[in-house]
């Protein structure tokens, strides 16, 4: 919106992980994201821009593969994957492996962008908001929660590399 260019297609790929199993059928994390997007941005970017929610994804790997396949199916030539900064290395590794397993995905020009970068760009002209954002992100990076997530992200990368080599598959979703 701020750059004056509406995306042709916006996909909310945060699906339905295990913790949502007891919620109403059809509800996903992506529904919440789309609602916020529509309220703040979506209705102001033009009628040629479409939004989709992928509700059946169970993990990041599903998010990635299903989003890219959907973008190709809808005729897109480029895709921007937005993920949290801490998850970018794992997402890049997943994308690398996805291209090996699904060469048909190579028709898309893909850029992987940290959400924090988009927030910094959004607040670039508001020094007070930018300072507050940077302070909040620094506090997060110094927290036990960040340490825990970094360990899980590193484990996920190790699991992906091990899976490719036929060895360690890690634990949980990656």
């Amino acid at each position: 919106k701020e750059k004056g260019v509406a995306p042709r297609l916006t996909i909310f790929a945060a699906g339905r992980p295990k913790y949502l199993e007891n919620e109403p059928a059809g509800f996903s994390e992506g529904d919440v994201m789309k609602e916020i997007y529509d309220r703040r941005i979506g209705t102001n970017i033009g009628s040629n821009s479409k939004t989709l929610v992928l509700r059946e994804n169970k993990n990041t790997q599903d998010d990635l593969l299903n989003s890219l396949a959907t973008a190709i199916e809808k005729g897109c030539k480029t895709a921007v994957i937005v993920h949290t900064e801490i998850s970018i290395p794992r997402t890049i590794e997943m994308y690398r492996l996805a291209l090996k397993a699904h060469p048909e995905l190579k028709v898309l020009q893909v850029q992987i962008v940290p959400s924090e970068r988009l927030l910094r760009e959004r607040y670039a002209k508001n020094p007070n908001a930018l300072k507050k954002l940077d302070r909040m992100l620094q506090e997060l990076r110094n927290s036990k929660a960040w340490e825990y997530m970094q360990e899980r992200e590193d484990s996920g990368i190790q699991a992906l590399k091990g899976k490719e080599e036929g060895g360690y598959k890690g634990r949980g979703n990656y």
Side-chain angles (χ1 to χ4, degrees), residues 60 83-90 140-141 143-157 171 173:
T60 306
H83 211 308
T84 56
E85 187 176 70
I86 197 168
S87 297
I88 293 292
R90 181 172 55 94
L140 177 61
R141 285 187 197 99
S143 72
K144 290 286 186 190
W146 184 273
E147 187 178 311
Y148 172 77
M149 285 304 300
Q150 187 64 63
E151 288 173 13
R152 290 194 45 106
E153 291 294 326
D154 292 345
S155 176
I157 293 168
R171 59 183 169 85
N173 292 327

Side-chain angles (χ1 to χ4, degrees), residues 12 28 58 72 77 138 149-150 154 158:
F12 298 94
S28 74
K58 301 289 184 199
I72 291 168
K77 303 288 185 235
Q138 190 57 49
M149 285 304 300
Q150 187 64 63
D154 292 345
Q158 184 181 3

Side-chain angles (χ1 to χ4, degrees), residues 107-160:
V107 299
L108 276 176
Q109 180 184 356
V110 174
Q111 184 180 9
I112 300 172
V113 177
S115 55
E116 294 84 347
R117 182 179 113 195
L118 298 178
L119 288 170
R120 282 190 186 93
E121 287 175 11
R122 178 178 181 185
Y123 296 119
K125 293 180 181 174
N126 184 338
N128 291 333
L130 185 59
K131 186 185 279 189
K132 184 176 181 178
L133 172 66
D134 285 337
R135 188 172 48 248
M136 288 171 32
L137 291 173
Q138 190 57 49
E139 286 176 20
L140 177 61
R141 285 187 197 99
N142 292 333
S143 72
K144 290 286 186 190
W146 184 273
E147 187 178 311
Y148 172 77
M149 285 304 300
Q150 187 64 63
E151 288 173 13
R152 290 194 45 106
E153 291 294 326
D154 292 345
S155 176
I157 293 168
Q158 184 181 3
L160 288 164

Side-chain angles (χ1 to χ4, degrees), residues 15-123:
R16 193 167 168 89
K18 274 190 162 196
Y19 76 87
L20 291 177
E21 285 177 349
N22 295 325
E23 296 300 322
F27 179 76
S28 74
E29 291 175 333
D31 290 302
V32 176
M33 292 177 180
K34 183 182 180 311
E35 181 182 320
I36 293 167
Y37 176 85
D38 286 346
R39 202 170 48 233
R40 294 187 179 167
I41 298 169
T43 57
N44 297 318
I45 61 172
S47 60
N48 291 334
S49 184
K50 305 291 181 216
T51 58
L52 291 174
V53 177
L54 301 182
R55 293 180 175 90
E56 302 305 317
N57 299 343
K58 301 289 184 199
N59 56 38
T60 306
Q61 194 164 11
D62 286 351
D63 293 342
L64 179 72
L65 291 173
N66 293 334
S67 294
L68 295 175
T70 300
I72 291 168
E73 178 185 307
K74 299 290 184 184
C76 298
K77 303 288 185 235
T78 61
V80 177
I81 297 167
V82 180
H83 211 308
T84 56
E85 187 176 70
I86 197 168
S87 297
I88 293 292
R90 181 172 55 94
T91 304
I92 290 170
E93 182 62 18
M94 250 182 237
Y95 177 63
R96 184 186 71 77
L97 293 173
L99 290 178
K100 281 180 82 171
H102 303 278
E104 67 276 11
L105 298 176
K106 292 179 182 179
V107 299
L108 276 176
Q109 180 184 356
V110 174
Q111 184 180 9
I112 300 172
V113 177
S115 55
E116 294 84 347
R117 182 179 113 195
L118 298 178
L119 288 170
R120 282 190 186 93
E121 287 175 11
R122 178 178 181 185
Y123 296 119

